[in-house]
Amino acid sequence: MPQNRPRLFLFFICGIFIINLLQAHFTELIFDEAYYWFYAQEMSWGYFDHPPMVALMIKLSSFFFDGELGVRFVSCLLSIGTLIVIWAMIDDEKKKGHIIDFFVLALSMTLLNAYGFLTLPDTPLLFFTALFLLAYKNFLDKNTFVKALVLGLTMSALMYSKYHAVLVIVFVLLSNLKLLTNKYAWMAVIVALLSYLPHFIWLYENDFVSVKYHLFDRPNAAYNFNKYTLGFFLNLVAIFGLTFPWIYRSLLRTKASDLFTKALLYLTYGFIVFFFISSFNRRVQTQWIIVISIPLAILTFNYLLKDEQTRKWVFRMGLVNIIVIAILRIGLIYEPLFPIYYETHGNKDWVKKVVAIANDNPVVFENSYRFAPMYEFYSGHPSYSLNNMNYRKNQYSIDSSEFRVQHKKVLYISPYIPERDISYKRTNGDIFYAKFIDDFASYRKLECIVDESELDDLINNNLSLKVYNPYTIDIALDKLKFGVAYLNAYKEVRDTQPINDLKPEQKISVLKANDTTNFTFSLPRTDMEDPKYFRLGISENDLPYGLNGTNIKIEQWNQ
């Protein structure tokens, strides 16, 4: 190998790393990054929406830097690690003469580029997918205890990154079912399960809250071909930009000549088919399919080494992609270059406005796991998202952040406050209204448990309700109001009604601390036609009804 070849590869890797570091430092956080930064303030083996890898990355980054780079530093490391691992999986010796082609291909992939500096669960997902495939490739060469150990640890790291990483493992397994009779493969599975055990324990201790949300509680909408299925195909194009015809052509023309190539093909086609089927049920987000960037980078590069026309067109269109992506990346920092308002623009500005209004008091945002952590990151002051029954649960629903604002004077911010004496405008033109609450008290952890065995005839029966108070203080009943939300088949709230006939089984005035109180009630009437679910909520001190109960399916409705 000529002496300049490894230097050229190292030059590109170092250059990309430096550019990503600069981008990470000068670009304001996006809302999801702020939310994951909030995760990292209280390290745990799990979080409401995701496993803990993204929080660990942010915590490690914070040991080296402050500010935005203190959120993104590890992401910059993993992104160049992903490129190095992809390069290592390409066996063709001709690759040494096509280093520039490799980087043009990799850098032209839109989200692979974006996750070079953003800290999102997909960042470690991409890295550990590449590392898992490399470990599997080495495992195929020769089965040993050490290789089984490495394979198991990479599988565990994948699952600690994002739940749908299980699809990566499943599709690779389906490509080689003989693994089911391989003792070293089973050893790798045991290692993976043992190292993932802390998260399993966390899920159990938290009533499998993440699993329930992702599989059962996420709201949806009626099927729309343009938004769902057509949108899925547009996403398949968007993740590769102008190079997509040659990338998918490479995929179609690649044959499974060995077990590793077969795994890459199964992984790619598996994800495409799985999420194509999913598109008939819900909107498939672009990042859900980003995993195919890893196998397709390998398959496409191997193919363009053999096909000169593909190599030329990928190089030409890849350069155009890179120029467009570069302009957009600069636009993330310098707003006039970006074609539309984006969430990296103006966050410091609106946070300053709120700080000036709040005057060092904590800030409570109604229904916003996005604004609350962004405010706290840039202001350094405590904030909280008060989630109500028209929204959804999130990390603020299960952690201890509520206690930081209890019985304090807070600035309460919502788009819906009728008192409009305090307001501020965001960069995109949205106006939010605010009011001060002198003694803020919320009890969002109260749990409403309905006896579902009584649901045969909802209107004519008195239903049994248990209300569990997990707090260490008694809560006065006269501070609470109970209500019900009615949801459609897609779990969208369409009506809310107060419960006016709630009766305790015994004469009481408080919900006792760490205790359960029994009530009876009947569902109030609703103007909603054919509701499919209902959910109970509690309003404390005239705050909006909370998310205190689960979605309960209505089997029979006789209004």
Side-chain angles (χ1 to χ4, degrees):
M1 183 177 181
Q3 186 65 30
N4 67 327
R5 295 304 182 193
R7 288 182 180 177
L8 182 61
F9 186 86
L10 185 62
F11 170 79
F12 272 103
I13 287 295
C14 291
I16 292 167
F17 181 58
I18 292 170
I19 290 171
N20 285 340
L21 284 177
L22 292 172
Q23 180 92 55
H25 174 68
F26 289 107
T27 306
E28 292 185 20
L29 297 189
I30 65 173
F31 286 114
D32 280 354
E33 287 182 295
Y35 184 47
Y36 302 135
W37 168 83
F38 174 67
Y39 279 10
Q41 305 316 297
E42 191 174 318
M43 290 301 296
S44 173
W45 283 105
Y47 297 91
F48 182 89
D49 317 71
H50 293 291
M53 185 64 74
V54 68
L56 176 62
M57 291 168 55
I58 294 171
K59 178 59 72 173
L60 291 174
S61 296
S62 70
F63 293 147
F64 298 96
F65 298 99
D66 296 322
E68 289 88 352
L69 198 53
V71 174
R72 295 170 171 153
F73 177 64
V74 171
S75 293
C76 295
L77 291 174
L78 292 190
S79 66
I80 59 167
T82 301
L83 295 175
I84 293 170
V85 173
I86 292 173
W87 179 258
M89 285 186 279
I90 299 168
D91 292 329
D92 196 323
E93 281 296 308
K94 288 189 292 185
K95 74 178 185 179
K96 298 172 185 177
H98 296 277
I99 293 173
I100 295 177
D101 292 298
F102 172 78
F103 282 104
V104 168
L105 172 64
L107 296 179
S108 70
M109 295 182 173
T110 53
L111 290 187
L112 197 62
N113 199 309
Y115 292 134
F117 64 94
L118 296 176
T119 297
L120 301 163
D122 306 278
T123 309
L125 176 67
L126 286 171
F127 174 73
F128 287 114
T129 294
L131 201 62
F132 166 70
L133 290 173
L134 179 61
Y136 177 66
K137 186 175 186 293
N138 292 331
F139 182 82
L140 289 174
D141 292 338
K142 185 178 181 181
N143 300 165
T144 65
F145 171 79
V146 173
K147 290 183 178 181
L149 178 64
V150 173
L151 186 63
L153 291 175
T154 56
M155 284 194 288
S156 177
L158 258 177
M159 290 300 300
Y160 271 119
S161 300
K162 205 168 183 179
Y163 290 119
H164 83 254
V166 69
L167 296 175
V168 176
I169 300 168
V170 167
F171 290 132
V172 169
L173 171 62
L174 290 176
S175 75
N176 184 9
L177 291 176
K178 288 185 179 179
L179 291 171
L180 294 174
T181 61
N182 186 314
K183 66 178 182 180
Y184 289 105
W186 280 106
M187 187 182 300
V189 170
I190 292 171
V191 169
L193 291 174
L194 286 175
S195 53
Y196 203 63
L197 189 60
H199 185 64
F200 281 133
I201 294 172
W202 181 90
L203 285 171
Y204 175 77
E205 291 176 345
N206 287 272
D207 197 28
F208 297 94
V209 62
S210 304
V211 177
K212 288 179 179 179
Y213 171 70
H214 287 296
L215 294 183
F216 307 114
D217 292 337
R218 291 187 78 145
N220 202 355
Y223 175 73
N224 181 300
F225 174 79
N226 290 337
K227 290 183 179 180
Y228 287 21
T229 305
L230 180 60
F232 163 73
F233 286 111
L234 291 176
N235 286 338
L236 287 177
V237 172
I239 60 176
F240 300 118
L242 295 174
T243 59
F244 84 91
W246 296 276
I247 287 178
Y248 289 116
R249 181 171 178 263
S250 302
L251 172 65
L252 293 171
R253 295 201 171 185
T254 300
K255 306 301 179 184
S257 56
D258 56 77
L259 282 175
F260 183 65
T261 303
K262 187 178 179 182
L264 298 179
L265 292 171
Y266 267 64
L267 178 54
T268 305
Y269 283 120
F271 260 77
I272 291 173
V273 171
F274 179 87
F275 284 108
F276 169 69
I277 295 171
S278 298
S279 74
F280 290 96
N281 176 256
R282 64 177 62 247
R283 185 174 68 86
V284 176
Q285 297 180 24
T286 312
Q287 66 268 24
W288 293 356
I289 56 175
I290 192 180
V291 159
I292 67 174
S293 299
I294 304 298
L296 282 178
I298 301 168
L299 294 172
T300 303
F301 189 70
N302 279 328
Y303 186 78
L304 65 80
L305 289 177
K306 302 169 186 174
D307 189 275
E308 186 177 354
Q309 283 298 108
T310 299
R311 183 165 66 250
K312 287 181 179 178
W313 279 106
V314 168
F315 186 82
R316 293 166 183 166
M317 295 296 100
L319 285 179
V320 177
N321 272 359
I322 290 170
I323 292 170
V324 172
I325 291 170
I327 294 171
L328 292 176
R329 285 183 60 161
I330 296 171
L332 292 177
I333 304 170
Y334 182 62
E335 186 177 347
L337 275 183
F338 211 81
I340 58 173
Y341 164 80
Y342 190 62
E343 55 191 82
T344 59
H345 302 142
N347 290 311
K348 291 180 180 179
D349 179 61
W350 72 256
V351 168
K352 285 181 181 177
K353 293 178 182 177
V354 176
V355 168
I357 297 170
N359 194 26
D360 291 337
N361 292 298
V363 177
V364 175
F365 292 84
E366 182 180 328
N367 288 353
S368 189
Y369 70 90
R370 292 158 59 86
F371 293 141
M374 187 71 81
Y375 175 81
E376 186 162 345
F377 179 81
Y378 281 116
S379 71
H381 298 303
S383 66
Y384 176 63
S385 174
L386 186 80
N387 307 315
N388 67 43
M389 63 165 53
N390 291 300
Y391 196 49
R392 73 164 181 89
K393 287 188 175 183
N394 48 57
Q395 183 62 25
Y396 288 94
S397 303
I398 65 171
D399 66 10
S400 60
S401 56
E402 180 185 48
F403 300 110
R404 298 185 302 165
V405 296
Q406 289 290 71
H407 298 294
K408 294 183 179 179
K409 181 178 181 179
V410 304
L411 183 69
Y412 185 83
I413 295 178
S414 167
Y416 315 109
I417 296 176
E419 300 94 327
R420 303 194 171 195
D421 53 324
I422 303 176
S423 67
Y424 72 92
K425 182 184 290 187
R426 291 182 58 226
T427 304
N428 66 347
D430 289 346
I431 298 177
F432 286 78
Y433 303 101
K435 66 178 180 180
F436 283 102
I437 298 177
D438 290 329
D439 182 14
F440 180 83
S442 64
Y443 304 110
R444 295 286 135 141
K445 297 184 185 299
L446 291 174
E447 295 179 32
C448 293
I449 306 164
V450 175
D451 186 347
E452 297 190 37
S453 65
E454 302 175 350
L455 300 181
D456 291 338
D457 186 345
L458 292 176
I459 294 302
N460 296 323
N461 281 353
N462 282 330
L463 303 179
S464 297
L465 168 65
K466 295 180 179 179
V467 179
Y468 173 61
N469 175 12
Y471 295 92
T472 56
I473 59 170
D474 295 345
I475 300 173
L477 273 176
D478 61 7
K479 301 284 187 181
L480 308 179
K481 297 176 184 176
F482 289 74
V484 59
Y486 292 103
L487 299 82
N488 61 16
Y490 306 105
K491 297 173 183 173
E492 299 170 317
V493 174
R494 287 290 178 259
D495 187 28
T496 59
Q497 295 291 337
I499 296 174
N500 296 317
D501 63 348
L502 188 75
K503 300 174 183 175
E505 288 189 355
Q506 299 177 349
K507 191 173 182 179
I508 55 171
S509 60
V510 297
L511 299 177
K512 291 185 178 180
N514 295 307
D515 201 1
T516 299
T517 306
N518 296 317
F519 297 86
T520 61
F521 76 103
S522 60
L523 285 177
R525 294 184 176 275
T526 174
D527 294 330
M528 179 182 174
E529 184 176 342
D530 195 24
K532 297 298 183 183
Y533 298 88
F534 74 91
R535 181 174 65 218
L536 297 189
I538 299 175
S539 165
E540 58 278 63
N541 301 301
D542 294 321
L543 294 170
Y545 291 115
L547 291 156
N548 306 93
T550 59
N551 294 334
I552 300 173
K553 192 169 185 179
I554 297 173
E555 300 290 350
Q556 181 179 352
W557 188 252
N558 299 316
Q559 283 212 85

